[in-house]
Amino acid sequence: MNIIPSIFNQNQVDYTLIGGGADSGKQALPVTCVLLNSHTSTFRNIVFENLLSINFDSIISIEESSRMFNTDQLAHQFPQVKFMMFQEEVTVGDKINIAMSEAVTPYVLVLHSDFCSQKFKVTEKLLKSLIKLDNFCIVPKLNDYDGKTIPVKFSPDVNKSVFNVRPELSFNDGDPTLFAADWCGLYNRQKFTLTGGFDYTITSPYWQRLDLFMRSWLWGEKTVISSQLEFSYSQEYESCENTIDLSYLRFYLKNLMPVHKGNGAVIPKLSFIPFKFRNKCGFTESLSQFSDARRWVAENSTLFKTDAATLIQNWSLTGVQS
């Protein structure tokens, strides 16, 4: 596994941008829409027409490689949209990092194209009110294709001394949540980049997403739910697997092992022993992973405002109902 990245967007990836040169002439919202595009060509025109009805500063459509055949045609048809294409396999988090680096607005709304094949409940007035909250991320209420609510409220918990994420169906507007379901939300771009963005060395979508959001909480940021920001899937929603693998180990080392002391955080040397006995890696690999995490935590020590144990203990004080 690669060394934990020390700076935002450290991974060098080949990608191409097409389009995005047209200017509507209107005073746009300070929001870039980043679209995780997975639709077939049948619905793509409708998706972009719906997005262009909102006065975003820009729209960046992250293309699937299998959909690249008609991108030139779409770029001609929708000159306001930037189409981003990758020449290699990269994680979803890495794609969002790169889109964030291309955006120039202070806020970025990450959506799935699946939300946009029908009219959705987003207005400029709503986006402006959410911007004023100045949170790390504001996540929407999500419904599956038959109208049932999907869990978007997640709370950290401990079950028999093991870290656990507890999903909850019911929530109040403004409730904090541990992370954004399915990547989607209104992100503060500066907070996102200062927190380092998604770690491209964590290849599991679940642990990659949880890693960033857990880190943001530990570094003093906040993610909340907006019941007014609402989207619905037009196809069946598939949740990510949270298999315990090397991606989990990296998440564990970066987020659960640091201990906050005084003005910063450290991973104590003696914690290597329980770490080694809790994973199936050999001694050399375990020591390499542990040493890399200690280096990364030392580099970012003063950015930690708390540790996982304290965050979990005080979670109810953030407004989450136990």
Side-chain angles (χ1 to χ4, degrees):
M1 188 176 284
N2 295 329
I3 292 175
I4 299 170
S6 299
I7 58 174
F8 170 69
N9 208 18
Q10 184 172 321
N11 194 22
Q12 298 299 307
V13 176
D14 289 330
Y15 65 96
T16 302
L17 277 178
I18 297 177
D23 188 348
S24 66
K26 300 179 182 178
Q27 185 173 358
L29 288 165
V31 180
T32 296
C33 179
V34 170
L35 190 69
L36 301 176
N37 210 323
S38 59
H39 257 72
T40 62
S41 57
T42 306
F43 299 101
R44 283 160 70 82
N45 288 12
I46 297 173
V47 166
F48 294 122
E49 286 169 2
N50 285 340
L51 287 176
L52 289 169
S53 68
I54 307 298
N55 196 22
F56 293 115
D57 180 86
S58 61
I59 299 170
I60 300 174
S61 178
I62 298 177
E63 299 293 291
E64 287 187 348
S65 58
S66 59
R67 310 295 183 201
M68 290 169 59
F69 64 91
N70 67 339
T71 301
D72 288 337
Q73 178 184 344
L74 283 168
H76 178 75
Q77 187 175 354
F78 299 101
Q80 306 97 319
V81 180
K82 291 182 181 180
F83 295 88
M84 180 177 287
M85 297 168 290
F86 293 86
Q87 280 72 51
E88 58 189 284
E89 289 295 323
V90 293
T91 65
V92 175
D94 219 356
K95 292 177 181 179
I96 295 174
N97 285 351
I98 294 167
M100 288 280 185
S101 68
E102 289 287 345
V104 296
T105 55
Y107 296 90
V108 173
L109 179 63
V110 176
L111 297 177
H112 285 281
S113 56
D114 199 32
F115 298 155
C116 309
S117 58
Q118 53 188 325
K119 292 291 184 181
F120 47 80
K121 301 175 183 178
V122 176
T123 65
E124 293 185 29
K125 182 179 179 181
L126 172 59
L127 289 174
K128 287 178 180 178
S129 68
L130 296 178
I131 284 170
K132 292 179 182 178
L133 299 177
D134 197 35
N135 287 313
F136 176 80
C137 185
I138 300 171
V139 304
K141 176 184 178 183
L142 296 178
N143 307 307
D144 65 15
Y145 67 98
D146 61 0
K148 294 181 180 178
T149 301
I150 294 169
V152 294
K153 180 178 177 179
F154 302 95
S155 303
D157 201 0
V158 174
N159 183 13
K160 296 180 180 179
S161 300
V162 176
F163 174 79
N164 184 47
V165 175
R166 186 177 71 251
E168 301 174 54
L169 275 175
S170 63
F171 61 86
N172 296 314
D173 189 58
D175 272 357
T177 181
L178 188 59
F179 66 96
D182 213 4
W183 314 94
C184 301
L186 180 66
Y187 293 78
N188 181 308
R189 191 170 68 90
Q190 183 181 40
K191 293 178 185 290
F192 181 95
T193 56
L194 290 176
T195 313
F198 293 103
D199 183 342
Y200 72 94
T201 70
I202 298 178
T203 56
S204 159
Y206 180 86
W207 297 115
Q208 186 183 54
R209 192 169 61 224
L210 187 55
D211 168 71
L212 169 62
F213 281 90
M214 184 73 172
R215 183 187 334 134
S216 71
W217 279 101
L218 297 178
W219 289 13
E221 300 298 343
K222 190 174 184 179
T223 293
V224 302
I225 305 167
S226 170
S227 58
Q228 300 175 74
L229 190 64
E230 182 176 357
F231 301 102
S232 298
Y233 290 88
S234 59
Q235 302 179 56
E236 188 171 356
Y237 167 72
E238 296 182 5
S239 58
C240 290
E241 293 289 333
N242 58 348
T243 306
I244 302 299
D245 54 12
L246 284 176
S247 288
Y248 167 76
L249 286 184
R250 178 139 290 185
F251 162 79
Y252 174 80
L253 284 163
K254 293 174 64 183
N255 297 280
L256 303 185
M257 290 200 74
V259 177
H260 192 263
K261 294 183 177 181
N263 296 320
V266 297
I267 297 180
K269 287 183 179 180
L270 291 178
S271 59
F272 173 72
I273 297 173
F275 167 69
K276 173 62 190 76
F277 284 102
R278 291 185 66 172
N279 76 78
K280 297 180 181 180
C281 296
F283 180 85
T284 301
E285 177 65 18
S286 295
L287 182 60
S288 175
Q289 293 280 350
F290 183 79
S291 299
D292 186 32
R294 288 195 80 233
R295 171 198 60 80
W296 180 83
V297 170
E299 288 178 355
N300 297 286
S301 176
T302 57
L303 298 175
F304 282 80
K305 308 305 178 188
T306 188
D307 54 32
T310 306
L311 179 69
I312 295 168
Q313 182 180 358
N314 295 334
W315 185 253
S316 61
L317 300 179
T318 66
V320 176
Q321 295 177 355
S322 301

